[in-house]
Amino acid sequence: MKTTYRPPFTAVLYYMLIISIAAMVAAVVSSVAGFEFKVGDEMGWQLPPPKNSEFYEYWASVNRFQIGDFLSFEYKNDSVLMVEKWDYYHCNSSNPILGFNNGKGVIKLNRAGPFYFISGFPDHCKNGQRLLVQVMSPHDLIVAAPPQSNADDAPSPLSTNAGASLPITAPVVIIFPMAAVVGMLLISNPLN
């Protein structure tokens, strides 16, 4: 008769604790470090080509935005406005939350939820130059897949890219040593 080893219940609890701590550290580190996304990648922030009016919608769908990330808008002869939901859907530029018209604007994504951006030129907005970014909540970060793009963008007024952006995998460097230390402590001092 073949028997299978089943770890004691306390070992399972310790394993769950280690995984929970690692996930929390990953969420904290990634939200502190932030990643800078260049809106539109190589195209930047401009009126999309006529047959590609959903360009920015697609761009936002292939990136994963987290609290602490930045959106960098780079443009010529245009502007970018952060607006409310209603203003986004109606291309209303009369009451922006925030605006830039100097060729570059950087926005820090400082909360979970949607952020709405439009061009200051109504015709540009109506023809697809608008962006809806959905920032994941810390809970989403634990279960979300890593980003599929190497884009560089980030939202935060008057913020600058003072250093190199950390890749999304940076928390791994911190998590595994911590898990190893906790694991060694558990092995050297078992509860049962």
Side-chain angles (χ1 to χ4, degrees):
M1 183 165 155
K2 189 175 188 180
T3 61
T4 52
Y5 172 76
R6 290 196 338 157
F9 182 70
T10 55
V12 173
L13 287 177
Y14 282 126
Y15 176 74
M16 291 172 56
L17 176 65
I18 290 170
I19 297 296
S20 297
I21 290 171
M24 287 187 287
V25 169
V28 168
V29 169
S30 64
S31 68
V32 170
F35 189 83
E36 186 169 332
F37 293 88
K38 180 182 176 193
V39 174
D41 296 326
E42 297 83 30
M43 187 170 111
W45 180 246
Q46 64 179 336
L47 182 63
K51 297 195 186 273
N52 197 6
S53 63
E54 295 174 356
F55 173 80
Y56 292 107
E57 181 180 332
Y58 174 77
W59 180 86
S61 73
V62 297
N63 290 290
R64 298 289 179 258
F65 305 99
Q66 301 175 20
I67 297 170
D69 284 346
F70 295 86
L71 293 178
S72 175
F73 292 85
E74 295 180 16
Y75 50 91
K76 294 179 182 174
N77 302 319
D78 209 325
S79 63
V80 60
L81 305 175
M82 183 192 303
V83 296
E84 297 290 339
K85 180 179 181 177
W86 189 92
D87 296 324
Y88 170 83
Y89 285 105
H90 294 91
C91 292
N92 179 12
S93 61
S94 65
N95 191 23
I97 298 168
L98 181 68
F100 298 98
N101 63 2
N102 60 357
K104 181 167 181 156
V106 180
I107 307 292
K108 182 174 184 178
L109 301 172
N110 58 2
R111 61 172 172 76
F115 284 78
Y116 302 94
F117 302 95
I118 63 173
S119 169
F121 299 114
D123 289 341
H124 287 200
C125 177
K126 290 175 184 171
N127 289 309
Q129 191 179 356
R130 61 184 180 177
L131 174 67
L132 166 56
V133 170
Q134 185 67 38
V135 178
M136 296 185 295
S137 71
H139 172 73
D140 295 335
L141 296 176
I142 295 170
V143 295
Q148 300 297 315
S149 172
N150 291 333
D152 283 334
D153 290 321
S156 186
L158 304 176
S159 294
T160 60
N161 187 11
S165 297
L166 293 177
I168 195 72
T169 56
V172 173
V173 175
I174 295 169
I175 294 169
F176 286 122
M178 179 189 293
V181 169
V182 172
M184 289 187 324
L185 290 172
L186 293 175
I187 291 169
S188 65
N189 190 14
L191 291 178
N192 48 358

